[in-house]
Amino acid sequence: MRKVVLAAILLSGFVMAGAPMFGPYSCIVATGGRIDAGSYGAPCIADWDGDGLKDLVLGKYTDGKIMFYANSGSNSAPVFTTYSYIQSDGVDITLPYGETTGATNPQVVDFNNDGILDIVVGDRNGYVNYFRGTATGVLTTEPDITANGVTIDVGYNSAPVIVDWNEDGLLDLILGQENITIGSVRLYLNSGTPENHAFTTYSRIKSDLLNIKWFRCTPQVFDLNLDGKKDLICGENTAKLVYYENIGTNASPVFSGYEYLESNGVDIELYYGTRLWVDDWDEDGLPDLLVSDFYGLVYLYYNTYTGIEEEAGSELYSSSELNISGSPTNGYFSVNILLEADSDVKFRIYSADGRIVSESGTVQLNAGEHDYGFDISGEPSGIYFVQIDTGSITLSESVVLLP
């Protein structure tokens, strides 16, 4: 059983903050020292080998290859030794590279809904590469992803994100690029089926009705403030991390302005060309950051902020407990909550990209312990979050769903 205890300050009024705060960074290490992609690493966290543990998949600029570090530790304390290169059709994946970009934004995802993990990844030449997983456990190279039958080409430095943007059950394509003349984040909505994607034209993602523009933009999508709505986070050439909070809905995101993500109260600013991934690294229910830059190291920033901001009001101190049993799981797990006071509680389960998997109505619960069972066996493997909202505090914890 894993347990997270969140001590919260309950006030007569509070608001959920926008961007969470992060502490100082440390470097992810393997046997022999710090993990080093050479230059401009592109981290992705996924259970690549299907053992229920999150692994590190790391795109490289220097030779356009993709490194795989298997986790020999646990999900809350990963341990890496050495790496291998991910192959397709029996040879190392090697993508066009140059001018800061090689294998960019690798996405480990079941892209064709056959229950097998695939890889979608960008490159220097602006294409979106698709490597399909097969029943024999190897990848095979498919044609580059197209729209209206024409190969998608952003010019230079393509940076894909695969996510169900509009919550219609189909995987869509978010695509960063180098050029900022018109806008640097494209949205291709999938009009096909879960098994056969079909992209036509694209729109550009906006903030305050203006196209988002960051030179050499590398986006990621994640519910960073744990409000149940997907947000947008962008790496960019000056090495900051740009956070766009979703003020719309999970199915129809809307952005207004942006914030730079901070470490110890100061803007995170590395050395040229940030690429990032969001993951609950220590399994405490809070999303952390993995970031790489020109130097190719993988920096880990732990989330130090619960997302609750004070407003004027009398202070009451309380604590509640959220316990999860059965993770990693093949689908079923149980939740135990301990409430110190009678509460109106709402349950929500959502995926790492902010997609709501299950949501309850408001349930009136008395103070004390309560047990519930959940089944997410129909969902793709990966990391999911259970969120309990009492109206005054929010508790969250992660669950790993096995293939």
Short mmCIF file of all heavy atoms in Angstrom, two decimals, residues 268-291:
data_model
loop_
_atom_site.label_atom_id
_atom_site.label_comp_id
_atom_site.label_asym_id
_atom_site.label_seq_id
_atom_site.Cartn_x
_atom_site.Cartn_y
_atom_site.Cartn_z
N ILE A 268 13.18 29.37 -14.05
CA ILE A 268 14.05 28.32 -14.54
C ILE A 268 14.64 28.79 -15.87
O ILE A 268 13.92 29.12 -16.80
CB ILE A 268 13.28 27.00 -14.74
CG1 ILE A 268 12.80 26.46 -13.39
CG2 ILE A 268 14.15 25.97 -15.45
CD1 ILE A 268 11.89 25.26 -13.49
N GLU A 269 15.95 28.85 -15.94
CA GLU A 269 16.62 29.33 -17.15
C GLU A 269 17.92 28.56 -17.29
O GLU A 269 18.91 28.84 -16.62
CB GLU A 269 16.88 30.83 -17.10
CG GLU A 269 17.40 31.38 -18.40
CD GLU A 269 17.43 32.91 -18.41
OE1 GLU A 269 17.11 33.52 -17.38
OE2 GLU A 269 17.75 33.47 -19.47
N LEU A 270 17.93 27.57 -18.16
CA LEU A 270 19.10 26.74 -18.37
C LEU A 270 19.95 27.32 -19.49
O LEU A 270 20.00 28.53 -19.63
CB LEU A 270 18.64 25.30 -18.64
CG LEU A 270 17.89 24.65 -17.46
CD1 LEU A 270 17.29 23.30 -17.84
CD2 LEU A 270 18.81 24.50 -16.26
N TYR A 271 20.58 26.48 -20.30
CA TYR A 271 21.48 27.00 -21.33
C TYR A 271 21.02 26.54 -22.70
O TYR A 271 21.36 25.46 -23.16
CB TYR A 271 22.92 26.53 -21.06
CG TYR A 271 23.94 27.22 -21.92
CD1 TYR A 271 24.34 28.52 -21.64
CD2 TYR A 271 24.49 26.57 -23.02
CE1 TYR A 271 25.27 29.17 -22.44
CE2 TYR A 271 25.42 27.21 -23.83
CZ TYR A 271 25.81 28.51 -23.53
OH TYR A 271 26.73 29.15 -24.32
N TYR A 272 20.18 27.34 -23.31
CA TYR A 272 19.72 27.16 -24.68
C TYR A 272 18.91 25.88 -24.89
O TYR A 272 19.31 24.78 -24.56
CB TYR A 272 20.87 27.19 -25.69
CG TYR A 272 21.43 28.57 -25.90
CD1 TYR A 272 22.68 28.92 -25.40
CD2 TYR A 272 20.69 29.54 -26.57
CE1 TYR A 272 23.19 30.18 -25.58
CE2 TYR A 272 21.19 30.81 -26.76
CZ TYR A 272 22.44 31.13 -26.26
OH TYR A 272 22.94 32.39 -26.43
N GLY A 273 17.73 26.07 -25.46
CA GLY A 273 16.97 24.99 -26.06
C GLY A 273 16.42 23.95 -25.09
O GLY A 273 16.79 22.79 -25.17
N THR A 274 15.51 24.35 -24.22
CA THR A 274 14.95 23.40 -23.26
C THR A 274 13.97 22.45 -23.93
O THR A 274 13.16 22.81 -24.78
CB THR A 274 14.21 24.14 -22.12
OG1 THR A 274 13.43 25.20 -22.67
CG2 THR A 274 15.18 24.68 -21.11
N ARG A 275 14.05 21.18 -23.52
CA ARG A 275 13.07 20.14 -23.82
C ARG A 275 12.64 19.56 -22.49
O ARG A 275 13.48 19.38 -21.59
CB ARG A 275 13.66 19.02 -24.69
CG ARG A 275 13.95 19.44 -26.14
CD ARG A 275 15.41 19.75 -26.35
NE ARG A 275 15.74 19.78 -27.76
CZ ARG A 275 15.85 20.87 -28.48
NH1 ARG A 275 15.65 22.06 -27.93
NH2 ARG A 275 16.18 20.81 -29.76
N LEU A 276 11.37 19.23 -22.33
CA LEU A 276 10.91 18.85 -21.00
C LEU A 276 9.96 17.68 -21.04
O LEU A 276 9.41 17.32 -22.10
CB LEU A 276 10.20 20.03 -20.33
CG LEU A 276 8.79 20.36 -20.86
CD1 LEU A 276 7.87 20.74 -19.72
CD2 LEU A 276 8.87 21.48 -21.90
N TRP A 277 9.76 17.09 -19.88
CA TRP A 277 8.72 16.08 -19.64
C TRP A 277 8.17 16.32 -18.25
O TRP A 277 8.90 16.81 -17.36
CB TRP A 277 9.28 14.67 -19.75
CG TRP A 277 8.21 13.63 -19.82
CD1 TRP A 277 7.71 12.88 -18.80
CD2 TRP A 277 7.48 13.24 -20.99
NE1 TRP A 277 6.72 12.05 -19.24
CE2 TRP A 277 6.56 12.25 -20.60
CE3 TRP A 277 7.53 13.63 -22.33
CZ2 TRP A 277 5.68 11.65 -21.49
CZ3 TRP A 277 6.66 13.04 -23.21
CH2 TRP A 277 5.75 12.05 -22.80
N VAL A 278 6.90 16.01 -18.04
CA VAL A 278 6.26 16.15 -16.74
C VAL A 278 5.95 14.75 -16.22
O VAL A 278 5.35 13.93 -16.93
CB VAL A 278 4.98 16.99 -16.81
CG1 VAL A 278 4.39 17.17 -15.42
CG2 VAL A 278 5.26 18.34 -17.46
N ASP A 279 6.35 14.46 -14.98
CA ASP A 279 6.11 13.15 -14.39
C ASP A 279 6.12 13.29 -12.88
O ASP A 279 6.86 14.09 -12.31
CB ASP A 279 7.21 12.17 -14.82
CG ASP A 279 7.03 10.80 -14.19
OD1 ASP A 279 6.16 10.05 -14.66
OD2 ASP A 279 7.75 10.48 -13.22
N ASP A 280 5.28 12.50 -12.21
CA ASP A 280 5.31 12.44 -10.75
C ASP A 280 6.46 11.52 -10.36
O ASP A 280 6.29 10.35 -10.09
CB ASP A 280 3.97 11.92 -10.22
CG ASP A 280 3.93 11.86 -8.70
OD1 ASP A 280 4.88 12.34 -8.06
OD2 ASP A 280 2.96 11.31 -8.16
N TRP A 281 7.65 12.07 -10.31
CA TRP A 281 8.88 11.28 -10.20
C TRP A 281 8.95 10.48 -8.91
O TRP A 281 9.38 9.33 -8.90
CB TRP A 281 10.08 12.21 -10.31
CG TRP A 281 11.39 11.49 -10.44
CD1 TRP A 281 12.38 11.37 -9.51
CD2 TRP A 281 11.86 10.80 -11.60
NE1 TRP A 281 13.42 10.66 -10.00
CE2 TRP A 281 13.14 10.29 -11.29
CE3 TRP A 281 11.33 10.56 -12.87
CZ2 TRP A 281 13.89 9.55 -12.21
CZ3 TRP A 281 12.07 9.83 -13.78
CH2 TRP A 281 13.34 9.33 -13.44
N ASP A 282 8.54 11.08 -7.80
CA ASP A 282 8.63 10.41 -6.51
C ASP A 282 7.30 9.86 -6.02
O ASP A 282 7.17 9.45 -4.87
CB ASP A 282 9.24 11.33 -5.45
CG ASP A 282 8.48 12.65 -5.34
OD1 ASP A 282 7.50 12.85 -6.09
OD2 ASP A 282 8.86 13.48 -4.49
N GLU A 283 6.28 9.87 -6.90
CA GLU A 283 4.98 9.28 -6.59
C GLU A 283 4.32 9.89 -5.35
O GLU A 283 3.68 9.20 -4.56
CB GLU A 283 5.12 7.76 -6.40
CG GLU A 283 5.70 7.04 -7.61
CD GLU A 283 4.73 6.92 -8.77
OE1 GLU A 283 3.63 6.38 -8.57
OE2 GLU A 283 5.08 7.35 -9.88
N ASP A 284 4.46 11.22 -5.20
CA ASP A 284 3.82 11.89 -4.06
C ASP A 284 2.53 12.59 -4.46
O ASP A 284 1.93 13.31 -3.67
CB ASP A 284 4.78 12.88 -3.41
CG ASP A 284 5.13 14.07 -4.31
OD1 ASP A 284 4.80 14.02 -5.52
OD2 ASP A 284 5.74 15.03 -3.82
N GLY A 285 2.10 12.38 -5.70
CA GLY A 285 0.86 12.99 -6.16
C GLY A 285 1.04 14.34 -6.81
O GLY A 285 0.06 14.93 -7.28
N LEU A 286 2.27 14.86 -6.88
CA LEU A 286 2.53 16.17 -7.47
C LEU A 286 3.41 16.01 -8.72
O LEU A 286 4.38 15.25 -8.70
CB LEU A 286 3.23 17.08 -6.46
CG LEU A 286 2.46 17.41 -5.18
CD1 LEU A 286 3.35 18.21 -4.23
CD2 LEU A 286 1.20 18.18 -5.50
N PRO A 287 3.10 16.72 -9.79
CA PRO A 287 3.88 16.61 -11.02
C PRO A 287 5.23 17.31 -10.89
O PRO A 287 5.32 18.46 -10.46
CB PRO A 287 3.00 17.29 -12.06
CG PRO A 287 2.14 18.24 -11.29
CD PRO A 287 1.92 17.60 -9.95
N ASP A 288 6.28 16.61 -11.28
CA ASP A 288 7.64 17.13 -11.27
C ASP A 288 8.10 17.37 -12.71
O ASP A 288 7.42 16.98 -13.66
CB ASP A 288 8.57 16.16 -10.54
CG ASP A 288 8.05 15.77 -9.17
OD1 ASP A 288 7.78 16.68 -8.36
OD2 ASP A 288 7.89 14.55 -8.90
N LEU A 289 9.26 17.98 -12.87
CA LEU A 289 9.78 18.32 -14.20
C LEU A 289 11.09 17.60 -14.48
O LEU A 289 11.97 17.55 -13.61
CB LEU A 289 10.04 19.82 -14.31
CG LEU A 289 8.85 20.78 -14.21
CD1 LEU A 289 9.36 22.22 -14.25
CD2 LEU A 289 7.85 20.54 -15.33
N LEU A 290 11.22 17.05 -15.68
CA LEU A 290 12.50 16.59 -16.20
C LEU A 290 12.81 17.46 -17.41
O LEU A 290 11.99 17.59 -18.33
CB LEU A 290 12.45 15.12 -16.60
CG LEU A 290 12.46 14.12 -15.44
CD1 LEU A 290 11.04 13.88 -14.94
CD2 LEU A 290 13.09 12.80 -15.86
N VAL A 291 14.00 18.05 -17.42
CA VAL A 291 14.34 19.04 -18.43
C VAL A 291 15.75 18.77 -18.93
O VAL A 291 16.64 18.40 -18.16
CB VAL A 291 14.27 20.48 -17.86
CG1 VAL A 291 14.40 21.50 -18.98
CG2 VAL A 291 12.99 20.71 -17.08
#
